[in-house]
Amino acid sequence: MVMKTGAGWLADSATLPTALRAVLGYYADAGVFDYGSLSLKREIDGRTERMVEDVFGLVEDALAEEFDRSSVSFDYDTKLILPAQLTLGYVYRSARQRAASDPVTDDVATGVPEVDETALEEGPSQTLSPREMVVRAEQMTYLSIEALVDGDMRDAINDDEFEDFSVDFEADPRRVAEVAQAALQADLDAKLEGLPPVVEETYSRAVDYSEAHQDRDDDFREMMSAAEDGDQSALRDVREQYKFADFEEPPALFDESERGLPYLKTQYARVGVLYDGMIGLYRLAGLDIDDDFAKAIVLAIIGAQVWLDDVDDYDDDRRNGQLTPVTAEYLLAPDEDAGYRRVVDVTEQYLDLAKTYATRADSPLTGIAVEYIYRSGEPEVLPGSP
C-alpha cells in the first residue's frame, strides 16, 4: 500500500486521472484506502443511469405527443443526483456487509417503496434483510432522482436558463422545458398519492423551504447592488443577513458549532435542505441512514455549489448582480487577493468537515466523492488567484 505521504504527493500529480487522485487524496487526508470504491462508483453510475433513462423516457413520450412527433430524444445535463447516488452506494455497502451472498441483483428494483411512517421520529421500526434494504434503496433512489430533476427543471424555467436542455429537433427551449417538467410533476404526483401523506409532506417541506429562499432573490440583488456602490449598511447586511444569517428554526441536522459555518443558513435553504429532505425519504423507507452520513451529504453539496458552480459563474454573477458566497466574499474582502483566499477557506471548511463525517459514517465512497469535488474545482479563474 502506498504510504500516506506518498499518496498525498501522487494525489497532487496532474498526470493521474482525477478519480484516482481523489482516492489517494482521501487516503492521505483520512487514512482510509478504499480503491474498491471506484468499482462501486462505476456500478452505481450504471444503475442510476438506467433510472435516469427511464425518467427521461416519460419526458420523451410527453414531448412526442406535444410536438406531434413519432419519437423524441431528450437530454438534460443535471449534476443534482450525486447525493442520491452516494446514498444508494451507502446502502449497498451496508447491505453487503450484512449478507452471506450479494443482495444486489442484475435487475434494478422499481415501483413505490414501502413506508415506515414513524421512522423520522422514532427510527426504523423493523430490521430489514439485506435484500429488502437494496430493494427499498433502489426504489427510493428512483423517486429521489425524479424529484431532484423535477426541482432542477423548475429552477431552470424560473431562471430562464435552458442551455442544459436538448432535443433532436427544432423547438422553443422554454416550451420543451415546460412540457418536460409537467410530465415529471404529473408522474411524481401520481406516485405520491399512492404513498402515506408523510412522504409528500417531507418532500414538500423541503421544496417550500428552498423556494422561500428563492423568493428573496430580488432582496439579495438589491443588497448586492448597494454593496457594490460601497454602501456600508448594505455591506453589513451582506455579512449579517447572508454570510452569518441566523436560522429562525435551526434544522435538527446541525449542532450549534456547525450552525456557525459561514453561509450555512442561506446555502442550506438554497440547496442543502433538498438533500436533507431526500435523506428523510430514505429513512421513511425504513432505511437506517446515519446522521453523520446525512451531514456529509449536505455539507458536500453546499461545498460543491460554491466550489464548482459559484466559482465558475463568478464573472457572470458579478455582472448580473447575483449574490452568492463567492460574490459576497469579494464584496466583503479588502482586495482581490483576500477575496480569493476567503473563497478557498469557506470551501475547505465545508469539504473538510464533509470528509470527516463521511469517515465517521464508514462511507469511503462519499469521502472520495468529496475529495473529487475539491480536485475538480478551477479556482484559478477567480481574481486574485496566485
Side-chain angles (χ1 to χ4, degrees):
M1 182 180 294
V2 180
M3 297 297 290
K4 287 178 65 176
T5 303
W9 179 80
L10 288 171
D12 292 332
S13 172
T15 61
L16 295 177
T18 305
L20 179 56
R21 293 170 61 206
V23 173
L24 294 169
Y26 180 58
Y27 170 56
D29 186 48
V32 178
F33 189 86
D34 193 76
Y35 192 79
S37 288
L38 291 181
S39 176
L40 178 58
K41 180 183 183 302
R42 287 191 292 271
E43 179 182 22
I44 296 298
D45 286 348
R47 295 173 78 84
T48 53
E49 180 61 32
R50 290 158 63 182
M51 297 179 189
V52 171
E53 289 175 357
D54 195 30
V55 168
F56 284 179
L58 299 171
V59 171
E60 290 170 344
D61 290 344
L63 289 170
E65 180 177 354
E66 173 69 19
F67 291 98
D68 193 23
R69 298 179 64 85
S70 59
S71 65
V72 169
S73 176
F74 171 82
D75 190 35
Y76 179 52
D77 182 20
T78 179
K79 304 170 185 174
L80 291 183
I81 68 171
L82 175 62
Q85 293 174 311
L86 293 174
T87 308
L88 183 60
Y90 173 83
V91 176
Y92 276 6
R93 179 180 171 88
S94 297
R96 282 169 166 160
Q97 288 174 340
R98 302 180 189 181
S101 59
D102 194 350
V104 181
T105 66
D106 290 338
D107 295 329
V108 177
T110 58
V112 178
E114 293 186 40
V115 172
D116 184 349
E117 296 188 54
T118 63
L120 292 181
E121 293 79 21
E122 302 173 11
S125 63
Q126 58 180 303
T127 301
L128 302 179
S129 71
R131 179 57 191 161
E132 288 172 328
M133 291 170 61
V134 167
V135 168
R136 294 198 189 187
E138 289 177 347
Q139 291 171 331
M140 194 53 79
T141 299
Y142 186 106
L143 184 66
S144 297
I145 285 174
E146 189 170 9
L148 290 168
V149 173
D150 171 66
D152 200 28
M153 286 183 177
R154 290 172 187 261
D155 290 344
I157 293 169
N158 290 338
D159 297 338
D160 290 318
E161 296 177 351
F162 307 112
E163 60 272 13
D164 292 331
F165 291 83
S166 64
V167 290
D168 59 345
F169 64 98
E170 291 293 327
D172 173 28
R174 168 170 281 278
R175 187 58 190 149
V176 168
E178 290 173 342
V179 172
Q181 188 276 319
L184 290 185
Q185 182 178 344
D187 191 64
L188 274 171
D189 288 345
K191 288 176 178 175
L192 291 172
E193 285 179 6
L195 290 166
V198 67
V199 177
E200 184 172 8
E201 290 166 5
T202 300
Y203 169 67
S204 297
R205 190 182 306 118
V207 172
D208 291 346
Y209 193 108
S210 182
E211 288 183 347
H213 173 77
Q214 293 179 31
D215 289 342
R216 292 199 61 196
D217 186 61
D218 288 342
D219 294 336
F220 289 135
R221 287 179 181 275
E222 291 178 7
M223 188 187 301
M224 179 169 173
S225 177
E228 288 273 22
D229 293 336
D231 185 318
Q232 293 302 307
S233 176
L235 286 168
R236 184 170 58 254
D237 288 343
V238 170
R239 177 180 296 278
E240 296 178 359
Q241 297 183 31
Y242 194 76
K243 182 173 182 177
F244 292 113
D246 292 326
F247 286 95
E248 292 81 9
E249 295 183 14
L253 183 63
F254 297 115
D255 63 27
E256 186 175 353
S257 65
E258 293 152 354
R259 292 197 293 270
L261 284 166
Y263 304 104
L264 182 64
K265 196 270 184 180
T266 51
Q267 302 316 296
Y268 177 80
R270 182 186 181 193
V271 292
V273 67
L274 298 175
Y275 298 102
D276 195 0
M278 182 199 76
I279 295 296
L281 296 181
Y282 282 91
R283 286 171 168 160
L284 284 171
L287 296 163
D288 190 8
I289 306 295
D290 190 273
D291 280 346
D292 286 340
F293 177 80
K295 288 183 180 184
I297 289 294
V298 173
L299 293 168
I301 206 67
I302 292 175
Q305 180 74 47
V306 174
W307 192 237
L308 302 181
D309 292 348
D310 295 343
V311 166
D312 287 350
D313 295 341
Y314 170 76
D315 286 337
D316 289 340
D317 288 341
R318 193 73 184 260
R319 184 167 50 250
N320 297 327
Q322 183 70 55
L323 191 59
T324 72
V326 177
T327 56
E329 284 302 336
Y330 279 92
L331 287 172
L332 296 172
D335 53 50
E336 290 183 343
D337 289 352
Y340 172 83
R341 291 194 301 271
R342 291 181 183 184
V343 169
V344 173
D345 179 64
V346 167
T347 300
E348 290 180 344
Q349 286 186 63
Y350 277 95
L351 297 185
D352 286 350
L353 195 53
K355 280 191 291 185
T356 296
Y357 283 124
T359 303
R360 290 186 190 176
D362 189 26
S363 181
L365 179 63
T366 303
I368 291 168
V370 176
E371 187 74 22
Y372 188 90
I373 289 168
Y374 185 68
R375 294 183 180 277
S376 297
E378 297 180 347
E380 61 272 13
V381 304
L382 291 175
S385 169

